[in-house]
């Protein structure tokens, strides 16, 4: 997960150009927080739901480092050395995250389930779009 300190490293500032983007991110975070609160209020995750969640996380994060390395290598990043350095370090940090979900599943005595359709659609879109428009993928990362 990206921290405020990491964002400072790439010198993202809250100027008028970023305000609409930050407003969208803030709204998405509130929606997600509200959904989690609703699940907690209803008694939390069932074991089956948690297994499906971990499987989704496995498929969502397996190979994610390629996206950030691809974004860092895009020609639009020329001259953005701090951003490229950040993306490289972030890719390495994110690379093993799928293994966390896999280990949790193994601890529960479960196996990774098949890739959910929404995750397959996510990857179908972002594998293509990141090659031409890396900031779309980076924006999605900021929201996540």
């Amino acid at each position: 997960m990206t921290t405020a300190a990491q964002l400072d490293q790439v010198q993202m500032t809250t100027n008028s150009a970023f305000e609409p983007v930050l407003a969208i991110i803030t709204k998405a975070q509130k929606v997600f927080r509200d959904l989690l609160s609703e699940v907690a209020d209803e008694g939390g995750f069932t074991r089956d739901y948690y297994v499906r969640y971990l499987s989704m996380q496995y498929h969502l994060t397996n190979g994610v480092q390629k996206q950030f390395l691809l974004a860092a290598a895009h020609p639009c990043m020329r001259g953005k050395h701090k951003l490229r350095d950040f993306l490289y370090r972030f890719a390495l940090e994110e690379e093993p995250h799928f293994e966390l979900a896999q280990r949790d599943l193994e601890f529960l005595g479960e196996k990774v389930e098949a890739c959910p359709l929404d995750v397959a659609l996510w990857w179908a879109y972002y594998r293509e779009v990141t090659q031409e428009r890396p900031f779309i993928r980076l924006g999605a990362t900021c929201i996540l």
Side-chain angles (χ1 to χ4, degrees):
M1 182 152 266
T2 304
T3 65
Q6 288 171 317
L7 291 176
D8 287 342
Q9 290 176 353
V10 293
Q11 297 179 334
M12 290 185 68
T13 59
T14 314
N15 62 31
S16 60
F18 284 108
E19 286 178 15
V21 174
L22 293 174
I24 292 168
I25 291 169
T26 300
K27 183 177 180 181
Q29 289 172 332
K30 182 188 179 322
V31 168
F32 187 66
R33 185 174 40 255
D34 291 348
L35 287 171
L36 287 177
S37 293
E38 185 178 322
V39 168
D41 291 345
E42 293 175 4
F45 292 143
T46 64
R47 179 185 173 95
D48 289 340
Y49 191 85
Y50 189 55
V51 168
R52 287 196 315 267
Y53 170 78
L54 289 172
S55 292
M56 180 213 51
Q57 285 294 79
Y58 172 89
H59 292 292
L60 193 60
T61 57
N62 190 3
V64 74
Q65 77 280 0
K66 294 180 214 172
Q67 294 284 294
F68 302 115
L69 295 172
L70 184 61
H74 194 274
C76 74
M77 297 292 178
R78 185 177 351 157
K80 296 175 175 66
H81 302 288
K82 289 183 181 182
L83 180 55
R84 276 185 162 162
D85 289 344
F86 168 80
L87 290 171
Y88 175 75
R89 287 190 313 277
F90 188 67
L92 296 180
E93 178 185 315
E94 292 293 309
E95 185 174 24
H97 283 185
F98 76 99
E99 294 170 336
L100 297 173
Q102 185 177 25
R103 278 189 294 237
D104 284 355
L105 286 165
E106 289 170 0
F107 179 76
L108 293 170
E110 301 286 345
K111 294 184 189 279
V112 175
E113 295 181 350
C115 185
L117 177 61
D118 51 351
V119 174
L121 292 172
W122 167 276
W123 279 117
Y125 177 73
Y126 282 111
R127 281 190 184 113
E128 185 69 28
V129 79
T130 303
Q131 294 182 43
E132 297 300 321
R133 300 177 67 193
F135 282 102
I136 290 177
R137 178 61 173 95
L138 298 179
T141 300
C142 290
I143 291 172
L144 288 176

